[in-house]
Amino acid sequence: MRGLSVKVRGTVQGVGFRPFVFQLAERYRLTGWVRNTNSQVEIELDGGEESLESFLRDLRERAPPLARIDEVEVEDRDPGGFTSFEIIASQLDEGWQSIPPDTATCDACLNELFDPSERRYRYPFTNCTHCGPRFTIIESLPYDRQRTTMRCFPMCDACRREYEDPRDRRFHAQPVACPTCGPKVWLHAGEMESGAADPIERCASLLRQGKIVAIKGLGGFQLACDATSPESVARLRARKRRYGKPFALMVPDLEWASRLCEPAPIELDALQSRERPIVLMRRRPDTEIAPDVAPGLDTLGLMLPYTPLHHLLLRSFDGPLVMTSGNLSEEPIAIGNREAVDRLALIADDFLLHDRDIYARYDDSVVRVLGDTTVPLRRARSYAPDPLSLPFTADQDILACGAQQKSTFCLVKRDKAFLSQHIGDLENLETLEHFQSALATFERLFKVEPRIIAHDMHPDYLSSRVAQEYPVPNAVRVTVQHHHAHIVSAMVEHGVRDEVIGVAYDGTGYGTDGAIWGGEILVANWTGFRRVGHLRYAPMIGGEAAIRKPYRMAAGYIWSLCRASEAEFQPFLDSVPIGERIILRRQLEVEFNTPLTSSCGRLFDAAAALLGVRTEALYEGQPAVELEALADAQVEDLYPFDLLRTAEGWEIDPAAVLRALWCEFRAGRPVPVIAGAFHNTVAAFTLGVCRAVRDKHRLNRVALSGGCFQNALLTRRLLEGLRKDGFEVLTHRHVPPNDGGISLGQAVVAHALTS
Ligand code: ZN
Ligand code: ZN
Ligand code: FE
């Protein structure tokens, strides 16, 4: 007989860990107890040597699906003389620990949902310890029903019995509910139809009739319509005022996913993962999906149902639904019933509502396979706020306010980074309020009191202003250059802090010289960077307007970098309306509102405009996204480019690239071939600079970050080239390569500079 004290740390609460321990103890006939404290699970055990060993092995190997064990501390002690094993009352201390994010309906709950003999048959709020809502309904921690929006639903006797039975799957499942005691769903305005009283059935029937229905989901409202109906999709676009940007689809099952797309095994895994994100995948040609769902793209964003309500709806509708955030373009997702009915009144024909309040907004997450890794492009529902483990421990709490687009913030406490959910572009009051309320929630939940505040170098970003006005006396404020933050965000994912070659390619970021950077090759570590390479500056005539009208970018390149061959481009320049052409030229000459940029995103814009792929961009990055969609990945051609030696390093002159691309286009070479060669060329000149930097600085590690690395073809080409050449390459795994990952990089730089 031996006695053991065991302490388990990690994500071990709100996941069914105590009942798991209880059942293990029973199985190995051990006596003692288990309890929660605020920071860990504590276990005392008496038993035989062999049984204790088996217990400890299973503790790690068979933990419940949502548990994540970071640390197990085992100590021998004298047997306590226990006679049974019990779950005892929680011990409150000053500590703190996380619980898992919202999780898709588990198989056991799904079986109950469609089993007529179960009391939760067709009940849209079925959940258990292994699945269901978490951070969308939690107001404060520790995680307890009283501190969630479930507190206004007292449990019925049947639910309470499950809740209190350690052998039950619903032991201490805080959102446990049933048709007797739990939330209910109803249709707001829908006319009654004979024979279909169930609101979800009626909702499906409205959708079949081509209606747009706002559905109260997990982290906010979603707008749904029949994805095979061109009229419905067009109506949704017009009412939502969302033009061009692709809509995500929810499909009933994997069979439907394979009917619409060509998923690779790794994409099928992502689709079925318990996070149930939207997965961007190559679409099949000639499907029944309305063309306007994802115009100009070779991909579709698909997700599977992830709440019981979605399962019921999709089972009943039996086809693909557009499922997009319930908001007006650019505004945050709506969460309250009244708020939704108000804000979405002109978009939705009807509302599928329920009375379980949503406490925090979480959009659906989006992932894409880049290289051989599934990478989040939008990290929100089911990912945030799961903390990222840092390779250091901070003495002081840090807040990093992120950038402007695809905004997130990051809070650092000890060795954990809490990256907020995707908040959106910080361009209007609603989004700023979303940012501030999410920040207040995170600070309260995780007991963070930032003393160090990091922000972007851009003085006009709202996030920089939030940082300046953050109410802490004597806070240390740290300004971090945009592309430095990008590179450090990729480095820290791999625990790398020594100097690397950083390739940061994106649309926009404020440079130390006041120009707009975005085609940067840095030598960087956590505390600083040197800019050793970049794309040659080109003028953005009219500033922001050049992003919306990529032909202005092309004209800017022609009149500056391609001046020597301007005559060859005359047919292109002639395609710009004469009045505008004269004004643009004049604007460039007098340098009026014509900032300089080294942006790689803008180079893609110019190429897309020259090839007639897109002359007007309905959203930032659209020209590049369409150029990628068109590109023939079999092409191996390359265009010429020039690497110029400068005082600090290398300058990439893409003039020859644009000239070759234009000549081929004029000669009638197919656009997909030219687009393929263009991608190869961007990868090739990047590799060229990396080689030169390696030789000079004796560095062999390359980190890739920035919005351009959402481009799967560019990423693949560059990865192939770098690896073939013996480079070690660091790419993103858990945070987005786009500006959604910036806040993590800022936080790490701020830590490094202040410790
Ligand atoms: Zn479940
Ligand atoms: Zn009940
Ligand atoms: Fe960026």
Side-chain angles (χ1 to χ4, degrees):
M1 197 66 145
R2 223 178 106 195
L4 281 187
S5 275
V6 184
K7 293 183 174 110
V8 190
R9 284 180 283 271
T11 305
V12 286
Q13 292 183 16
V15 297
F17 204 80
R18 286 173 304 163
F20 157 70
V21 169
F22 177 88
Q23 281 161 31
L24 269 190
E26 279 203 323
R27 177 157 172 205
Y28 293 113
R29 296 172 201 282
L30 302 168
T31 56
W33 51 258
V34 57
R35 74 174 172 199
N36 276 342
T37 74
N38 288 42
S39 53
Q40 59 193 0
V41 170
E42 298 178 352
I43 311 164
E44 299 265 289
L45 293 164
D46 282 358
E49 188 77 32
E50 215 167 293
S51 304
L52 287 169
E53 289 303 319
S54 306
F55 175 93
L56 288 176
R57 187 195 57 228
D58 286 5
L59 187 74
R60 288 171 179 279
E61 289 176 6
R62 298 185 178 204
L66 297 186
R68 195 183 67 197
I69 298 176
D70 292 340
E71 212 182 328
V72 182
E73 197 184 305
V74 185
E75 232 175 275
D76 276 308
R77 52 149 189 73
D78 293 332
F82 305 110
T83 52
S84 62
F85 194 88
E86 282 175 72
I87 297 177
I88 64 169
S90 299
Q91 169 103 3
L92 295 185
D93 58 25
E94 269 310 287
W96 170 88
Q97 69 143 308
S98 189
I99 62 160
D102 301 54
T103 304
T105 308
C106 72
D107 290 344
C109 286
L110 200 55
N111 287 334
E112 287 181 8
L113 189 64
F114 290 107
D115 180 348
S117 70
E118 287 288 341
R119 67 190 192 93
R120 291 189 179 84
Y121 175 58
R122 298 190 59 83
Y123 181 56
F125 303 95
T126 302
N127 65 73
C128 73
T129 327
H130 309 309
C131 74
R134 296 289 188 273
F135 281 98
T136 52
I137 60 165
I138 292 176
E139 295 175 15
S140 61
L141 288 172
Y143 180 42
D144 180 19
R145 193 176 180 99
Q146 286 316 307
R147 286 178 279 270
T148 71
T149 61
M150 282 301 291
R151 70 168 158 258
C152 46
F153 299 98
M155 278 180 253
C156 68
D157 290 345
C159 284
R160 178 155 298 279
R161 269 196 301 277
E162 295 168 328
Y163 182 86
E164 287 172 354
D165 176 3
R167 286 173 191 81
D168 195 280
R169 204 171 89 243
R170 295 196 166 87
F171 178 76
H172 282 245
Q174 305 305 342
V176 70
C178 76
T180 313
C181 65
K184 294 190 170 35
V185 57
W186 69 92
L187 212 49
H188 182 61
E191 336 83 87
M192 285 296 285
E193 273 180 73
S194 53
D198 179 317
I200 295 176
E201 297 277 358
R202 270 159 59 208
C203 175
S205 139
L206 287 172
L207 291 165
R208 270 191 296 271
Q209 292 163 31
K211 299 277 200 272
I212 296 165
V213 183
I215 294 168
K216 189 176 186 179
L218 193 55
F221 274 79
Q222 295 168 311
L223 288 161
C225 78
D226 181 353
T228 66
S229 159
E231 298 79 32
S232 300
V233 175
R235 199 144 20 90
L236 178 56
R237 278 206 183 280
R239 290 187 188 172
K240 197 174 145 82
R241 286 185 241 149
R242 174 171 165 132
Y243 305 102
K245 263 191 195 175
F247 284 136
L249 303 182
M250 187 177 272
V251 292
D253 49 34
L254 287 179
E255 208 172 300
W256 265 101
S258 300
R259 195 157 135 188
L260 303 179
C261 289
E262 299 166 6
I266 182 174
E267 291 168 330
L268 285 175
D269 289 347
L271 207 54
Q272 299 174 85
S273 67
R274 62 172 187 247
E275 290 87 6
R276 292 288 165 105
I278 296 165
V279 185
L280 299 189
M281 293 180 294
R282 175 172 291 277
R283 69 196 289 178
R284 288 184 190 280
D286 309 320
T287 62
E288 52 265 77
I289 297 300
D292 210 20
V293 163
L297 300 188
D298 64 338
T299 53
L300 282 177
L302 301 189
M303 65 180 144
L304 294 173
Y306 56 85
T307 66
L309 190 149
H310 289 127
H311 280 287
L312 291 165
L313 182 64
L314 270 287
R315 179 78 61 111
S316 172
F317 183 78
D318 194 26
L321 284 173
V322 166
M323 198 62 87
T324 184
S325 303
N327 55 7
L328 206 59
S329 191
E330 312 305 328
E331 287 183 1
I333 190 167
I335 52 175
N337 287 350
R338 260 195 225 131
E339 178 199 359
V341 171
D342 262 14
R343 279 175 52 197
L344 306 178
L346 299 177
I347 305 180
D349 297 306
D350 209 333
F351 293 82
L352 189 63
L353 302 174
H354 61 69
D355 51 0
R356 187 179 74 198
D357 284 343
I358 299 170
Y359 182 71
R361 285 170 219 272
Y362 282 83
D363 284 277
D364 289 318
S365 298
V366 181
V367 305
R368 185 177 196 187
V369 173
L370 298 169
D372 38 27
T373 317
T374 305
V375 184
L377 303 186
R378 183 163 82 194
R379 191 178 174 277
R381 182 209 14 105
S382 291
Y383 291 89
D386 203 18
L388 305 158
S389 290
L390 295 169
F392 60 84
T393 300
D395 311 329
Q396 286 189 294
D397 294 357
I398 304 168
L399 163 66
C401 294
Q404 172 101 332
Q405 292 168 322
K406 301 182 164 67
S407 157
T408 62
F409 58 80
C410 179
L411 287 167
V412 169
K413 186 184 178 71
R414 308 292 298 159
D415 63 340
K416 295 279 185 276
F418 298 93
L419 189 61
S420 78
Q421 71 269 40
H422 161 89
I423 286 167
D425 297 351
L426 278 186
E427 276 160 3
N428 54 49
L429 196 61
E430 288 80 5
T431 318
L432 183 63
E433 279 168 2
H434 179 12
F435 183 100
Q436 282 165 331
S437 80
L439 177 56
T441 303
F442 269 53
E443 286 177 345
R444 199 180 56 246
L445 287 178
F446 309 123
K447 296 184 182 164
V448 186
E449 289 173 23
R451 288 283 174 274
I452 300 165
I453 321 288
H455 62 89
D456 196 273
M457 199 168 261
H458 200 305
D460 299 332
Y461 278 1
L462 279 181
S463 55
S464 303
R465 232 175 302 159
V466 170
Q468 293 301 339
E469 290 163 11
Y470 189 87
V472 180
N474 308 322
V476 180
R477 291 190 168 77
V478 182
T479 307
V480 185
Q481 200 280 326
H482 190 94
H483 302 93
H484 183 210
H486 266 309
I487 295 306
V488 174
S489 73
M491 292 170 73
V492 75
E493 283 212 59
H494 296 264
V496 170
R497 60 171 88 213
D498 297 335
E499 276 192 342
V500 300
I501 304 170
V503 179
Y505 284 177
D506 64 3
T508 304
Y510 196 80
T512 51
D513 58 358
I516 299 169
W517 291 10
E520 311 309 311
I521 293 161
L522 315 175
V523 165
N525 60 17
W526 289 1
T527 52
F529 72 95
R530 268 168 302 161
R531 189 192 198 198
V532 293
H534 64 88
L535 273 164
R536 260 193 113 171
Y537 283 132
M540 284 173 77
I541 311 177
E544 293 276 303
I547 300 175
R548 288 190 300 276
K549 298 180 169 177
Y551 60 84
R552 289 189 172 204
M553 226 31 245
Y557 270 106
I558 293 168
W559 287 330
S560 58
L561 306 192
C562 308
R563 227 171 7 231
S565 48
E566 186 180 327
E568 291 172 34
F569 287 100
Q570 200 54 47
F572 175 79
L573 294 170
D574 288 343
S575 71
V576 179
I578 176 83
E580 191 176 355
R581 200 162 76 219
I582 292 166
I583 294 169
L584 291 179
R585 188 81 207 226
R586 181 85 194 115
Q587 236 179 304
L588 178 63
E589 274 159 17
V590 300
E591 293 174 7
F592 172 72
N593 191 18
T594 299
L596 292 176
T597 186
S598 54
S599 162
C600 185
R602 299 291 86 79
L603 178 64
F604 270 85
D605 286 355
L610 284 171
L611 297 175
V613 171
R614 182 141 288 278
T615 47
E616 205 134 347
L618 299 172
Y619 56 93
E620 212 220 331
Q622 187 183 21
V625 165
E626 294 190 1
L627 201 62
E628 182 196 353
L630 271 173
D632 181 344
Q634 307 304 316
V635 174
E636 291 186 0
D637 297 21
L638 270 185
Y639 295 138
F641 55 85
D642 294 299
L643 296 184
L644 314 172
R645 194 75 174 86
T646 65
E648 316 88 68
W650 289 267
E651 212 171 64
I652 305 156
D653 185 346
V657 183
L658 294 174
R659 192 173 159 211
L661 169 146
W662 173 248
C663 289
E664 291 222 302
F665 179 65
R666 292 283 291 161
R669 201 137 189 248
V671 172
V673 175
I674 305 176
F678 176 75
H679 278 78
N680 297 344
T681 309
V682 174
F685 64 58
T686 309
L687 178 62
V689 178
C690 288
R691 278 191 191 132
V693 175
R694 166 165 68 186
D695 293 344
K696 172 142 188 251
H697 297 271
R698 303 271 145 228
L699 294 170
N700 197 47
R701 257 189 201 143
V702 180
L704 307 182
S705 190
C708 293
F709 292 110
Q710 299 173 93
N711 181 322
L713 180 57
L714 174 64
T715 304
R716 195 164 79 227
R717 283 285 176 272
L718 186 54
L719 272 177
E720 284 164 2
L722 287 166
R723 285 183 181 150
K724 216 167 111 194
D725 220 8
F727 284 99
E728 183 194 339
V729 191
L730 313 177
T731 57
H732 286 288
R733 295 184 289 201
H734 303 295
V735 305
N738 59 45
D739 287 3
I742 284 272
S743 59
L744 175 65
Q746 289 174 344
V748 174
V749 171
H751 163 76
L753 286 175
T754 55
S755 62

